[in-house]
Structure formats: C-alpha cells, structure tokens
Amino acid sequence: MYCIVLIGCKLSKNLGYIMKRVLLKLSGEALAGEKKTGFDEATCIAVAKQVKTIVDEGVQVGIVIGGGNFWRGRTSQNIDRTKADQIGMLATVMNCIYVSEIFRSQGMKTAVLTPFAVGEFTKMFSKDRSNKYFDHGMVVFYAGGTGHPYFSTDTGTVLRAIEIEADTILLAKAIDGVYDDDPKINPEAKKYDKVSIQEVIDKQLKVVDLTASILAMENRMPMIVFGLNEENSIVNAAHGIITGTEVTV
C-alpha cells in the first residue's frame, strides 16, 4: 500500500500530514446544489479548486461520483431491478464526464475509467492503467460502479479504493459526519468524532451500505466522513484534519 507522507503515522485527528493517495466519493445530489438535479457548475468548480490544491501538493486523487442527481435506483415497479441499476451506472458515467471537464477547466489532467466499454467516451478500468495515470499527475474518475447490478456506488467506491491501494476514502456528504440517528429528523442525534467500522455495521449507522462496510472492514480500508459544503473540507481531510467523523478499521 502507498504510505502516508509521515512514515509510520496512523490516521488521526488534526495531525496535519498530507496523504499520498486518496479515493474521494462525491454525492451526485450534492453536486446538483439547491436544484437537486443535474449539475450546479459553481459547486463543481469549488470542488475542483479544492482537489487542485491537494493535487498540486502531490496527492494522487481518484474520484467516484454517485448518480443521485439523475437517478435514484428502482423508482418504478415497472422497471426491472437489473435495468434500473444499469441506468444508475450510466448516470455516474455522465457525472464523471461532466465533472472531469470542469476539473480540466481548472488546470488539471483527468481520465475517466469504466468497468465496461462506453465507446470512445471512457477507457476500461485496470489497476495498471490507474497507476500510469497517477504517475502522470492525473485525477482518475471511476465511473459505472462495479459494472454489475445489485452493487451500489458505495461498494464501487470501497472496491476501487482497495484496488488502487488508497490511504483512505474521503466521503464528502451533504451532512458533516456520522450520527447515531438522522439529524434532519432527530435534533438530539449524536455526532461521532471517531467510530469503528465494526460499530458502523453493528449499529447500522449507514455510513455506506452493508456490503461496502463489510468489504472495508475485511480489507482494513479507513474512511473520513465530512460535509462537502464546509469550507476547505476536502483539503482538510486530505491533510488529516478531520472536522467530521473518522471511521477506523
């Protein structure tokens, strides 16, 4: 696995070191801004500027984007589950192509990889290809999930993070961390500063879905959960400054 800049250090709150390689998971809905659908260009540009900051510092960045700004699973019983999931996969491809172009407009080099052929729009995923792109200073977008139905972008995120040997997963969400209940419904919900992935599974805290949680636990892949809309949240997380929740393994 690629090492963190300070050799031998463990991920912890406010140490201020910079990681070597991260997998950033962005919510498609968050990128839509107040419109809740499609794209909010100002939000995407703000994300791009933060990512450029850490790329310029030498951090290698892979990105997965959810498809919720276009498609939220099986919304009609008239649509087969497999077909519904395929639509969702294609939504993530659209998101990655769009955000990739926004990143390029901010001076970064990018590539979009998928687990299935999408004509000339993307390249096929492989670990070797990812590493080659990282070595050339490119931000690599992983679109299309796992390429199979019944697996969410959460699972695709953890899988890609393990495959590329990321130091951690950065989960940029609409809320600012992990809570013991839904803070939108329960104002008394408690926010965790640190929680183990085992506790996430046992208490069904819904950081990521159960399949992704177990995959992260078995492969010892840590996560940092934080609010996308907080100032410099991506930069802070990549520096080990955790304002949200650290999910340990």
Side-chain angles (χ1 to χ4, degrees), residues 9-207:
C9 285
K10 294 182 179 179
L11 184 67
S12 61
K13 196 175 185 70
N14 296 331
L15 286 181
Y17 56 72
I18 302 175
M19 300 170 192
K20 173 64 178 175
R21 181 178 291 180
V22 298
L23 195 292
L24 172 64
K25 167 69 185 302
L26 297 170
S27 161
E29 292 164 295
L31 293 178
E34 294 181 358
K35 297 185 297 182
K36 306 299 182 183
T37 187
F39 303 108
D40 181 72
E41 188 166 300
T43 299
C44 296
I45 289 173
V47 169
K49 288 180 176 178
Q50 286 198 65
V51 173
K52 188 174 190 302
T53 295
I54 61 175
V55 168
D56 288 346
E57 293 171 339
V59 181
Q60 297 173 340
V61 181
I63 295 180
V64 172
I65 305 176
N69 52 327
F70 286 114
W71 186 255
R72 291 296 300 174
R74 190 180 179 186
T75 55
S76 169
Q77 294 301 311
N78 294 318
I79 300 176
D80 177 75
R81 168 65 188 271
T82 295
K83 298 302 182 183
D85 285 358
Q86 289 171 347
I87 296 170
M89 292 177 216
L90 292 175
T92 71
V93 174
M94 291 192 296
N95 281 349
C96 284
I97 291 174
Y98 176 87
V99 178
S100 169
E101 287 303 302
I102 295 295
F103 275 42
R104 290 188 182 198
S105 77
Q106 300 302 307
M108 286 173 279
K109 295 180 290 183
T110 66
V112 180
L113 303 183
T114 49
F116 46 80
V118 191
E120 296 298 316
F121 300 156
T122 68
K123 297 289 187 182
M124 289 289 287
F125 167 79
S126 76
K127 180 176 179 177
D128 288 344
R129 177 169 278 154
S130 291
N131 285 335
K132 180 181 74 174
Y133 289 156
F134 284 137
D135 288 343
H136 285 85
M138 302 173 75
V139 177
V140 184
F141 288 80
Y142 301 106
T146 66
H148 300 284
Y150 296 93
F151 294 98
S152 69
T153 52
D154 286 344
T155 303
T157 296
V158 176
L159 176 63
R160 293 291 178 249
I162 294 165
E163 288 179 302
I164 67 173
E165 300 181 78
D167 293 321
T168 193
I169 296 170
L170 307 182
L171 287 174
K173 290 178 167 281
I175 59 174
D176 62 348
V178 179
Y179 288 79
D180 63 357
D181 198 2
D182 188 342
K184 295 179 181 179
I185 299 174
N186 179 9
E188 301 300 320
K190 172 190 171 185
K191 178 182 173 183
Y192 293 91
D193 290 329
K194 180 184 290 188
V195 63
S196 71
I197 190 65
Q198 184 65 64
E199 190 172 357
V200 167
I201 294 169
D202 292 343
K203 295 184 177 179
Q204 299 184 31
L205 296 178
K206 298 180 180 178
V207 176

